[in-house]
């Protein structure tokens, strides 16, 4: 049996941009993506700590070391610059393997730096 569990999380990143006139997605500093074991185009869930909004989208690589966290397209209406968000991705895994699996969790510092 497969179950879906938390694979990766970036906990309490700060929105640096919101670009309504873009196709969609979340642009994330590539350093944060690597640290959280996330890849470009991976499906993610975004939870806004400031207003309780939740949405699903996918990742786009942002410039490495830039600290960028940008909601694009319609998702840009779900957060404002300065809002704190949690970015999560999930994976399907065998039930028994899930018992010992440990997700990768990243806690960014000021400026969304590692």
């Amino acid at each position: 049996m497969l179950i879906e569990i938390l694979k990766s999380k970036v906990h309490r990143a700060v929105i640096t941009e919101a670009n309504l006139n873009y196709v969609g997605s979340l642009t994330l500093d590539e350093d944060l993506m690597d640290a959280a074991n996330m890849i470009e185009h991976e499906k993610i869930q975004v939870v806004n700590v400031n207003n309780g909004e939740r949405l699903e989208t996918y990742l786009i690589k942002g410039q490495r070391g830039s600290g960028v966290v940008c909601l694009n397209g319609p998702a840009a209406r779900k957060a404002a610059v300065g809002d704190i968000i949690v970015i999560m991705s999930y994976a399907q895994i065998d039930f028994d393997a899930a018992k010992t699996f440990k997700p990768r969790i990243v806690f960014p510092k000021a400026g969304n730096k590692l």
Side-chain angles (χ1 to χ4, degrees):
M1 167 180 30
L2 295 178
I3 63 169
E4 195 166 316
I5 65 168
L6 179 69
K7 178 187 81 67
S8 305
K9 178 165 78 166
V10 178
H11 189 77
R12 298 182 66 87
V14 178
I15 296 288
T16 60
E17 302 173 47
N19 183 355
L20 184 61
N21 296 309
Y22 189 82
V23 177
S25 70
L26 183 131
T27 304
L28 186 62
D29 181 324
E30 194 172 0
D31 283 344
L32 291 174
M33 289 175 63
D34 288 349
N37 195 30
M38 293 175 167
I39 61 171
E40 190 166 40
H41 308 297
E42 183 172 356
K43 180 180 176 180
I44 58 169
Q45 181 179 44
V46 179
V47 179
N48 187 324
V49 174
N50 294 74
N51 64 20
E53 290 282 354
R54 292 176 169 262
L55 65 107
E56 289 183 344
T57 188
Y58 61 93
L59 283 173
I60 292 179
K61 283 185 203 175
Q63 182 178 348
R64 187 176 293 283
S66 66
V68 67
V69 179
C70 178
L71 277 173
N72 299 300
R77 296 210 185 270
K78 301 287 188 177
V81 171
D83 281 1
I84 297 168
I85 63 169
V86 178
I87 306 161
M88 297 169 284
S89 68
Y90 302 88
Q92 290 187 351
I93 188 169
D94 178 76
F95 181 79
D96 288 327
K99 292 176 182 177
T100 58
F101 180 83
K102 300 292 183 220
R104 182 90 56 94
I105 301 175
V106 175
F107 298 91
K109 295 178 176 32
N112 295 321
K113 303 294 183 182
L114 296 175

